[in-house]
Amino acid sequence: GRFSALKGEEKREVVLQVVADRAEYFRRKTYHPSQIEEKMEDGDLKVSYVVSNLDDLAAFIRSWGPHVRVLRPESLAERIESELAETLQAYREAK
């Protein structure tokens, strides 16, 4: 699967919120065999995966920018937030 190039020991459930205008991409394509989708009341899509390594998935999440947000695990959401803050700081310092 797409998120298993780097395998870890422990399986982890990851739950993402995909904004409504990007949800169709996730409905049309299975990015990982464990993918489960659930439409949310506001039109967004909740997508979950069970993966053995978060590194590949973190890169995938970052590639979607503000259109995909980590709901669980909190540690992954914090990791993405920290990486984005570091990237923003690097761009600000380069000006």
Side-chain angles (χ1 to χ4, degrees):
R2 181 179 177 126
F3 312 128
S4 58
L6 302 172
K7 295 199 185 270
E9 298 294 319
E10 177 185 348
K11 298 267 186 199
R12 309 264 322 255
E13 181 185 34
V14 175
V15 181
L16 308 176
Q17 182 173 355
V18 180
V19 297
D21 68 339
R22 297 299 195 277
E24 188 60 30
Y25 293 100
F26 287 79
R27 287 190 196 100
R28 278 192 270 148
K29 182 172 179 158
T30 300
Y31 291 98
H32 188 269
S34 67
Q35 181 172 316
I36 297 173
E37 302 122 30
E38 177 186 339
K39 187 173 182 176
M40 301 173 75
E41 288 182 18
D42 62 1
D44 288 357
L45 189 67
K46 187 184 293 184
V47 182
S48 62
Y49 302 101
V50 177
V51 298
S52 60
N53 185 288
L54 297 179
D55 293 334
D56 292 336
L57 191 55
F60 172 77
I61 293 163
R62 286 190 310 269
S63 76
W64 286 94
H67 309 291
V68 172
R69 183 171 64 92
V70 177
L71 299 177
R72 286 194 312 271
E74 188 174 327
S75 61
L76 180 58
E78 290 169 351
R79 172 183 170 177
I80 298 291
E81 182 180 5
S82 175
E83 291 170 352
L84 291 173
E86 289 174 15
T87 301
L88 179 60
Q89 185 62 32
Y91 273 87
R92 286 181 174 159
E93 291 173 358
K95 288 184 177 182

